[in-house]
């Protein structure tokens, strides 16, 4: 008997609740987690699932460090006077917050953790194409993280996360060179991850897993990898040029010795605008999976959603100039960049519309991942639409370098990526750990995060519109009410992030054991045990069904309890 | 797409029958073909990132040359075109020896494989040696970007003579060093790639001597070959852009 069944067969062939344990061809006890307990087996592992967990620990650690900086910033902004820290220290606080959150958290978060774990599982492969390179990418991440952390610890950087010259050229006497080198190394970690995903998607798909049967998660990660491969080398060489300039006192970007500061901005944003999509597309990958599973419907317009990911990756490379509207860019160039920036909103909008259309007449259940996904759609819509304000030439001049920009990208990065990341962690937690998290606490904290997030960042739109500039530690007293609201929201947000940390750790020991497919989802990752064995599948799966083919509930065999009015409740199908 | 799926299905079938299991086949691949395809695609993808990496520097080159055309021409005159030309020939020769190494890997001729790998390494060292001589001359004349930047006066006079009474003779010495910033960045990063390539090639010689490669299993050699040709092609662009622009 094959261990892999189409989702239609599943309830008939996998009785889940027999008293002596589940009927499986393989004893469920052997899995990637308990295959070997030695430290060596973790640090030298080539198993993509273990490397994903190594990333999970390190990336989560830096998320909490970055959050501490955020809290310090919000604490300083509680009062109009700069009374907590000096201006120079404040410069370092927001720089460290930005560098840690972007380069050490957002960029690796979803691809390196969930992507690493799921890409081979979803396409029915035993591993990524290059397991050793995958491990190398984690070590490069750690080396880069150590270099960046040491730059922060011996004195810090005060240039802002984007290292603009002249803040970062020979005028700065903070540790720009060291931080730049760290990010250079982190870039290679990201390149290797992208390379692995691209090759894996091309060559490692299981028999029958055609391109249009791939889960949308894979399409989005493919697009993300394209950006990682084409964009990251450019930021690497930019930072190398900056390091070269500072080390040898030559002018590449410094105009006093022949350089061109705007060249830095062009090179930097050539990577860093697409990098926004490195952070965003994996989030969209998760949302597509969650929306389909929790509405129990095929994604509306699968091909449109798939190709919109590729379109975002391609168009994303043509819009960097919208960061230079108020630099020395010609008005004509500005108009073109403005136009393309509007155009890039189209594929993003296609996704939002298609998710919404998927919800229409679906059998929606409001589990924690779905709450995060619904929150994502709303917040990403706000983040995306306010982006259009900033892509308009005239409007942008008013809003540049104000809190409006800060609010905009936090709606996209936190309201978008971070919510998707949390939703994804909850959704695949049973698969990763083999345990269920407490659903009630999950829903509760999802709501706390949503409320806290909006309270933190919505006032910042207003502040920016009223003209409060970003990156100052003091502000006129009339802005105080909105700033206090924002800081209060940040505290709520901090609680919302701490609760999952506690109950997820708790569930590792005390959570109920998860079945193979607790959500009755369709992907291949649910057709193997939870947690999966080291080789992912006992037998190579042969795919004969389309992505997101959900069985109608009426056809499914009821294996669990019935509600008082003789109808099966949802959990009775999956045996939870 | 359909054929590819079919191939995989067939491949899976073969593997299930355990007809052959090459010792070089990694556990997560179904067969040698899949493993080789993955390696080749991986190397091409990597080379694309390399193009973007060098691309940033070429962009800087274009920008600074457009704003300082005379200075770039004068800077180019400071370089030793003979040594640069010899190095170009050396690198093209090393691409030939590399291609031959790949050929003898495919035909399974171990001794000629090792011989041509060693020849490639040797030519790589010749290139780096000549480059070191060029760098050394620049150091001794102080033609190093930075606070004490100087140029070789003899060559500067030659250049001015060449362009006598010409607008091109108006060279701002301070901006001249922009040429050398770009020159050292580009050739330095290129030389670093050569050094990495020589390191990789040495490992391949070691493996080849231990009979690791056969006509069925030699993709390491092919991938190293792709890399080596790429580094060679970068130099083919660098040579005219750096050495020849001042000499028309
Ligand atoms: Cu942008």
């Amino acid at each position: 008997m094959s261990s892999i069944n189409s989702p239609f067969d599943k309830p008939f062939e996998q009785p889940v609740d027999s008293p002596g344990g589940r009927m499986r061809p393989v004893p469920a006890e052997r899995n990637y987690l308990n295959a070997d307990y030695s430290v060596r087996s973790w640090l030298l592992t080539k198993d993509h699932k273990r490397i994903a967990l190594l990333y999970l620990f390190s990336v989560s650690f830096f998320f909490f460090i970055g959050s501490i900086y955020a809290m310090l910033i919000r604490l300083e902004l509680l009062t109009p006077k700069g009374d907590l820290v000096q201006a120079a220290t404040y410069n370092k606080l927001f720089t460290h917050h930005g560098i840690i959150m972007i380069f050490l958290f957002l960029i690796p978060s979803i691809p390196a953790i969930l992507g690493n774990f799921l890409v081979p599982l979803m396409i029915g492969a035993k591993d990524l194409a290059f397991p050793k390179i995958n491990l190398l990418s984690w070590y490069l991440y750690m080396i880069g993280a150590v270099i960046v952390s040491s730059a922060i610890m011996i004195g810090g950087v005060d240039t802002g996360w984007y290292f603009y010259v002249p803040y970062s050229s020979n005028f700065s006497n903070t540790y720009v060179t060291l931080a730049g080198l760290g990010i250079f190394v982190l870039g290679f970690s990201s390149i290797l991850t992208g390379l692995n995903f691209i090759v894996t998607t091309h060559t490692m798909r299981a028999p029958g897993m055609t391109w249009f049967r791939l889960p949308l998660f894979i399409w989005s990660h493919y697009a993300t990898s394209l950006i990682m491969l084409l964009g990251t080398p450019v930021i690497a060489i930019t930072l190398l040029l900056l390091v070269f300039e500072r080390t040898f006192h030559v002018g590449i970007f410094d105009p006093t010795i022949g350089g061109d500061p705007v060249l830095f901005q062009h090179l930097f944003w050539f990577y860093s605008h697409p990098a926004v999509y490195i952070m965003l597309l994996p989030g969209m990958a998760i949302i597509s999976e969650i929306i389909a599973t929790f509405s129990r419907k095929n994604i509306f317009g699968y091909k449109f959603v798939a190709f919109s990911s590729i379109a975002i990756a391609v168009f994303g490379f043509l819009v960097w100039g919208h960061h230079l509207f108020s630099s020395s860019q010609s008005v004509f160039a500005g108009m073109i960049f403005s136009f393309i920036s509007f155009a890039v909103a189209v594929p993003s909008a296609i996704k939002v519309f298609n998710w919404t259309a998927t919800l229409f007449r679906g059998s929606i259940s409001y589990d924690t991942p779905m709450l995060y996904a619904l929150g994502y759609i709303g917040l990403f819509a706000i983040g995306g639409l306010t982006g259009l304000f900033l892509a308009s030439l005239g409007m942008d001049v008013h809003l540049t370098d104000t809190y409006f920009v800060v609010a905009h990208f936090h709606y996209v990065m936190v309201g978008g990526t971070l919510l998707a990341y949390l939703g994804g962690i909850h959704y695949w937690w049973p698969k990763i750990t083999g345990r269920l998290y407490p659903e009630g606490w999950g829903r509760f904290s999802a709501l706390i995060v949503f409320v806290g997030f909006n309270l933190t960042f919505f006032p910042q739109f207003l502040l920016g519109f009223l003209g409060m500039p970003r990156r100052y530690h003091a502000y006129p007293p009339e802005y105080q009410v909105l700033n206090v609201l924002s800081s209060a929201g940040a505290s709520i947000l901090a609680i919302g992030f701490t609760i999952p940390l506690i109950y997820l750790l708790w569930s590792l020991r005390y959570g109920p054991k998860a079945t193979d497919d607790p959500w009755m989802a369709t992907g291949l990752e649910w057709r193997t045990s939870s947690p999966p064995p080291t080789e992912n599948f006992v037998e190579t799966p042969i795919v004969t069904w389309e992505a997101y083919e959900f069985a109608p509930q009426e056809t499914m065999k009821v294996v669990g309890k019935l509600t008082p009015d003789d109808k099966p409740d949802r959990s009775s199908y999956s045996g939870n | 797409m359909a054929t590819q799926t079919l191939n995989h299905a067939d491949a899976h079938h073969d593997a299930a029958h355990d007809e052959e299991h090459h010792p070089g086949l990694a556990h997560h691949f179904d067969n040698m073909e899949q493993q080789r395809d993955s390696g080749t695609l991986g190397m091409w993808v990597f080379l694309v990132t390399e193009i973007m990496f060098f691309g940033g520097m070429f962009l800087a080159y274009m920008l600074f040359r457009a704003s300082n055309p005379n200075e770039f021409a004068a800077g180019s005159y400071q370089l030793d075109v003979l040594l640069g030309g010899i190095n170009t020939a050396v690198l093209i020769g090393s691409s030939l020896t590399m291609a031959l190494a790949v050929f003898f890997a495919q035909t399974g001729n171990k001794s000629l494989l090792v011989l041509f790998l060693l020849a490639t390494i040797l030519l790589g060292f010749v290139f780096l040696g000549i480059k070191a001589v060029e760098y050394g001359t620049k150091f001794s004349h102080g033609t190093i970007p930075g606070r004490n930047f100087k140029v070789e006066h003899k060559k500067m006079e030659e250049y001015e003579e060449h362009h006598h009474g010409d607008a091109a003779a108006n060279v701002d010495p301070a901006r001249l060093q922009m040429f050398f910033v770009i020159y050292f960045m580009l050739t330095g990063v290129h030389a670093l790639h050569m050094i990495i390539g020589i390191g990789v090639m040495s490992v391949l010689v070691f493996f080849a001597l231990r009979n690791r490669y056969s006509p069925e299993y030699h993709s390491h050699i092919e991938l190293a070959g792709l890399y080596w040709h790429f580094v060679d092609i970068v130099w083919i662009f660098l040579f005219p852009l750096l050495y020849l622009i001042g000499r028309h």
Side-chain angles (χ1 to χ4, degrees), chain A residues 269 272-274 276-277 316 319-323 341 408:
Chain A
W269 288 112
S272 293
H273 183 83
V276 170
Y277 298 116
V319 299
W320 78 89
H322 63 217
H323 296 272
S341 303
H408 155 66

Side-chain angles (χ1 to χ4, degrees), chain A residues 269-343:
Chain A
W269 288 112
F270 181 82
Y271 164 74
S272 293
H273 183 83
V276 170
Y277 298 116
I278 294 181
M279 305 177 226
L280 202 56
L281 279 165
M284 294 169 158
I286 292 174
I287 300 303
S288 296
E289 299 299 315
I290 294 179
I291 293 281
T293 298
F294 292 93
S295 355
R296 305 205 54 74
K297 262 182 76 189
N298 190 358
I299 282 280
F300 181 83
Y302 169 96
K303 285 192 182 175
F304 281 92
V305 180
F307 282 115
S308 68
S309 294
I310 308 293
I312 287 174
V314 173
F315 285 115
F317 274 106
L318 307 174
V319 299
W320 78 89
H322 63 217
H323 296 272
L324 286 87
F325 287 162
S326 53
S327 305
S328 73
Q329 183 179 254
S330 75
V331 177
F332 181 66
M335 278 161 65
I336 290 174
F337 279 122
S338 172
F339 176 75
I340 308 176
S341 303
F342 272 85

Side-chain angles (χ1 to χ4, degrees), chain A residues 126-131 184 188 191 195 198-199 202-212 229-231 233-234 236-237 240-241 244 248-253 257-260 263 267 270 540 542, chain B residues 1-2 4-5 8-9 12 27-30 34-35 37-39 41-43 45-46 48-50 52-57 59-60 63-64 68 145-147 174-175 177-178 180-182 184-185 189:
Chain A
K126 295 195 190 80
D127 206 320
L128 289 171
F130 308 114
F184 181 79
F188 281 98
I191 288 174
L195 188 147
I198 295 253
V199 175
H202 275 279
T203 64
M204 306 291 282
R205 282 171 290 122
M209 182 56 96
T210 59
W211 281 88
F212 291 113
L229 289 168
L230 296 174
V234 179
I237 194 64
L240 199 63
L241 288 166
F244 193 76
F248 299 104
H249 292 276
V250 297
I252 298 168
F253 304 123
I257 32 182
D260 185 347
L263 174 65
L267 285 173
F270 181 82
T540 306
I542 296 172
Chain B
M1 206 171 302
Q4 193 170 5
T5 313
H8 278 239
H12 172 70
H27 74 96
H28 58 295
F29 289 115
D30 286 336
Q34 188 189 17
Q35 176 167 330
D37 287 351
S38 301
L41 180 63
M43 182 48 90
V45 171
F46 174 72
V48 170
T49 71
E50 287 278 38
M52 296 306 289
F53 188 74
F54 279 96
M57 285 185 286
L59 178 76
L63 198 77
F64 290 122
N68 313 296
R147 292 197 180 109
R175 306 197 119 208
Q177 64 167 314
M178 286 311 299
F180 284 97
V181 170
I182 301 287
F184 279 109
M185 275 303 290
V189 173

Side-chain angles (χ1 to χ4, degrees), chain B residues 14-165:
Chain B
D14 285 351
H17 282 277
D18 253 346
E19 275 169 18
E20 50 174 334
H21 200 282
H22 194 280
L25 180 64
H27 74 96
H28 58 295
F29 289 115
D30 286 336
N31 56 23
M32 296 301 280
E33 192 196 348
Q34 188 189 17
Q35 176 167 330
R36 198 171 54 238
D37 287 351
S38 301
T40 311
L41 180 63
M43 182 48 90
W44 278 109
V45 171
F46 174 72
L47 293 182
V48 170
T49 71
E50 287 278 38
I51 290 172
M52 296 306 289
F53 188 74
F54 279 96
M57 285 185 286
F58 279 112
L59 178 76
Y61 171 93
M62 275 170 13
L63 198 77
F64 290 122
R65 185 177 162 190
S67 50
N68 313 296
N70 298 343
E71 287 76 8
F72 266 58
S76 166
Y77 222 82
Q78 297 271 321
L79 299 180
D80 193 327
V81 74
L82 178 67
L83 290 181
I86 292 173
N87 254 350
T88 310
V90 167
L91 261 196
I92 292 175
S94 79
S95 260
L96 176 67
T97 54
M98 187 69 228
L100 286 169
V102 172
F103 174 76
F104 288 116
Q106 284 163 350
T107 50
N109 190 330
K110 178 187 147 195
S111 47
L112 283 177
L113 164 66
V114 172
L115 179 76
F116 280 108
L117 281 177
L118 287 174
T120 313
I121 293 175
L122 180 71
L123 288 172
F125 273 119
V126 170
F127 177 93
L128 288 174
I130 293 178
K131 202 77 227 151
V133 170
E134 285 188 74
Y135 275 19
T137 326
K138 290 282 160 283
F139 273 87
S140 63
H141 289 291
T143 317
I144 304 298
R147 292 197 180 109
N148 304 314
F149 176 76
K150 284 195 293 286
V151 290
E152 206 178 324
H153 276 288
K154 200 169 74 71
K155 288 192 170 166
M156 200 63 205
E157 280 159 16
E158 274 175 38
Y159 173 76
E160 278 165 8
E161 221 167 89
H162 188 78
H163 290 278
H164 191 64

